[in-house]
C-alpha cells in the first residue's frame, strides 16, 4: 500500500479567494461610506476594491503559508 501524498494548500486558490473577498469588501465599503464629491462611484469602487483586494490576497497567502508550515 502506498502512503498518501502530503496534503498541502493550493496557494493560488487561497490568493485568488482573498483578492475576490477583499475586492467585494472594498466595493461594499465604498458604497456604504460617505461619497466624495470629487470622484465618481465607479472610481471609488475601483480604488477601494483594488486596495482591499491586494490586502486580502496578501493575508490569504500568509494563511496558506502558515497552514503549510504547520504540517
Amino acid at each position: 500500500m502506498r502512503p498518501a501524498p502530503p496534503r498541502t494548500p493550493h496557494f493560488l486558490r487561497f490568493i485568488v479567494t482573498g483578492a475576490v473577498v477583499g475586492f467585494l469588501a472594498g466595493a461594499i465599503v465604498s458604497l456604504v461610506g460617505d461619497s466624495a464629491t470629487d470622484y465618481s462611484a465607479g472610481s471609488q469602487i475601483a480604488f477601494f476594491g483594488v486596495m482591499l483586494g491586494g490586502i486580502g490576497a496578501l493575508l490569504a497567502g500568509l494563511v496558506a503559508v502558515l497552514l503549510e508550515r504547520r504540517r
Side-chain angles (χ1 to χ4, degrees):
M1 207 160 153
R2 290 185 188 174
R7 293 185 53 138
T8 59
H10 295 272
F11 290 101
L12 185 60
R13 291 181 186 172
F14 270 84
I15 293 170
V16 169
T17 302
V20 169
V21 169
F23 184 85
L24 291 175
I28 291 170
V29 165
S30 68
L31 291 174
V32 172
D34 295 335
S35 63
T37 58
D38 298 342
Y39 300 104
S40 67
S43 295
Q44 291 177 19
I45 290 171
F47 177 75
F48 284 110
V50 169
M51 222 170 64
L52 291 181
I55 292 170
L58 285 172
L59 290 176
L62 179 65
V63 168
V65 168
L66 291 175
L67 286 174
E68 191 212 1
R69 292 203 182 240
R70 196 176 84 172
R71 294 188 182 261

